[in-house]
Amino acid sequence: NAGVTQTPKFQVLKTGQSMTLQCAQDMNHEYMSWYRQDPGMGLRLIHYSVGAGITDQGEVPNGYNVSRSTTEDFPLRLLSAAPSQTSVYFCASSRTTSSEQFFGPGTRLTVL
Amino acid sequence: AQSVTQLGSHVSVSEGALVLLRCNYSSSVPPYLFWYVQYPNQGLQLLLKYTSAATLVKGINGFEAEFKKSETSFHLTKPSAHMSDAAEYFCAVTTQGGSEKLVFGKGTKLTVNP
């Protein structure tokens, strides 16, 4: 099993550009989530999904969109990148909302 | 809503010394509690979890944590630090039944000195 995979590993954007961060898992997990990690802030939940076709907002959803058309994939879209979105983004999946979350390796995003 | 407080954003110990990383939680219902570890430039991985069975939970790499309801604490300990333990550690809380999302603390960076 590959577990949770994320692409790309690194990305540099200019302000106003859009892009999609990809996330896929092969563990047949229903629950998937996106976090951003900033120094001294821990992990903050952006969006999450409890199954295909169902998504909801987390703590810091503004400027991001998600969709969940399949169990395996949970892409995160930045609509119009801003410097405040410079961060490390982690995707995670778990069997349920209260079970162990498995994390991807992260995407380091810089917005100039 | 739940919350987690990790006391000390940085902890430094000598190799062979006791490691103690503090975590206090707030939850109005019985919690599930987790400790995750993040090595440099990697994602997070689970160290251990409390899900209302035994209050003393043993995890990987010699770490353990004790759930103390009266103190609303879930501190992480290891009797003897190793250089390879240098990492950032995150405490997280959710509720039994999964009605609430997982909430992370801000993290504690552990440095191990030779």
Side-chain angles (χ1 to χ4, degrees), chain A residues 23-44:
Chain A
C23 173
Q25 53 92 8
D26 61 0
M27 296 173 281
N28 202 31
H29 286 165
E30 291 295 326
Y31 186 79
M32 296 186 74
S33 51
W34 276 102
Y35 297 89
R36 59 177 290 173
Q37 183 179 25
D38 303 290
M41 302 292 288
L43 276 79
R44 292 182 291 170

Side-chain angles (χ1 to χ4, degrees), chain A residues 37 39-43, chain B residues 4-13 19-24 35-39 44 47 63 74-76 85-92 104-112:
Chain A
Q37 183 179 25
M41 302 292 288
L43 276 79
Chain B
V4 170
T5 302
Q6 291 184 241
L7 295 175
S9 57
H10 289 83
V11 170
S12 183
V13 301
V19 176
L20 171 60
L21 304 183
R22 299 179 186 273
C23 172
N24 287 90
W35 275 100
Y36 285 85
V37 60
Q38 184 181 32
Y39 298 104
L44 280 71
L47 263 183
F63 285 92
F74 191 56
H75 302 329
L76 182 70
D85 296 326
E88 190 157 19
Y89 293 80
F90 294 92
C91 184
F104 283 87
K106 294 189 187 307
T108 297
K109 190 167 186 179
L110 176 66
T111 301
V112 181

Side-chain angles (χ1 to χ4, degrees), chain A residues 37 45 48 90 97-98 101, chain B residues 34 36 38 90 98 101 106:
Chain A
Q37 183 179 25
L45 183 65
Y48 66 99
F90 288 100
T97 56
S98 56
Q101 292 205 19
Chain B
F34 302 79
Y36 285 85
Q38 184 181 32
F90 294 92
K101 299 176 286 293
K106 294 189 187 307

